[in-house]
Amino acid sequence: MIVVISGSINAGKSTVARRLTRLVPGSLYIDGDDLAPSGLPSGERWSAAIDLIGLATLSLARAKVHLFVAYPVDNKHWESITAPLQAGGYEVTCVALAPRLDVALTNRGERALEERERARISAMYDEGFHNPSFASLIVDNSDESADVTAQRIYEHLQLD
């Protein structure tokens, strides 16, 4: 199964996806930020990352392992990622992390948020990244650890 962990900036996508790989032996993790080419304007960088995520997931799906991909995805890009996977008969689902906005705007990880990131987080909430129509599960992870959130997702997806 391919699981896209979506949500706004600072929702905990990467941390939770890494925790999921610990729960599912032999699974793989892709951080979409690692695929985004540097030096491009943000819109172009995001689109390029989505294209590369689509290619990487399709290639890795052939290995028949569980794959966890962390990246914010909107409706348009969800279809571009999933269409080739579904055409190939691969199961793909999305889980959205949706901490309360006031929580997402705080310094939750190891790095301090920049003001432009805070502005983008608010915009992403306005755009619905915390509540996409295509998500099979939406998790308010405001008041729980990444381990608890990963366990909830693991149980929801019945990955045992």
Side-chain angles (χ1 to χ4, degrees):
M1 174 183 288
I2 299 144
V3 181
V4 176
I5 309 293
S6 189
S8 75
I9 295 169
N10 207 38
K13 300 176 298 295
S14 297
T15 303
V16 168
R18 282 192 299 269
R19 296 300 196 287
L20 280 161
T21 61
R22 292 182 192 164
L23 293 172
V24 182
S27 63
L28 299 173
Y29 160 68
I30 295 176
D31 188 328
D33 286 334
D34 292 341
L35 299 177
S38 60
L40 293 176
S42 61
E44 291 176 39
R45 187 171 190 259
W46 187 40
S47 290
I50 291 290
D51 291 344
L52 291 169
I53 288 167
L55 292 170
T57 53
L58 184 58
S59 176
L60 291 169
R62 294 181 182 118
K64 300 200 186 292
V65 297
H66 291 297
L67 179 62
F68 299 100
V69 180
Y71 205 67
V73 181
D74 61 8
N75 285 322
K76 173 185 164 192
H77 292 103
W78 175 249
E79 291 179 22
S80 70
I81 290 172
T82 59
L85 291 165
Q86 291 170 338
Y90 301 107
E91 187 177 3
V92 59
T93 191
C94 176
V95 173
L97 300 184
R100 294 184 314 272
L101 179 58
D102 63 307
V103 173
L105 291 170
T106 63
N107 293 328
R108 300 177 73 204
E110 296 177 9
R111 67 178 173 82
L113 289 172
E114 297 175 10
E115 203 50 46
R116 67 175 177 76
E117 290 173 309
R118 283 190 174 83
R120 184 62 187 129
I121 291 167
S122 293
M124 291 177 93
Y125 271 72
D126 289 343
E127 295 165 17
F129 279 85
H130 67 297
N131 189 22
S133 61
F134 51 83
S136 68
L137 177 67
I138 298 172
V139 178
D140 178 351
N141 59 330
S142 300
D143 300 317
E144 62 190 30
S145 70
D147 288 323
V148 169
T149 300
Q151 185 66 43
R152 286 176 61 193
I153 294 167
Y154 176 85
E155 291 170 4
H156 169 77
L157 297 174
Q158 301 176 357
L159 294 173
D160 28 337

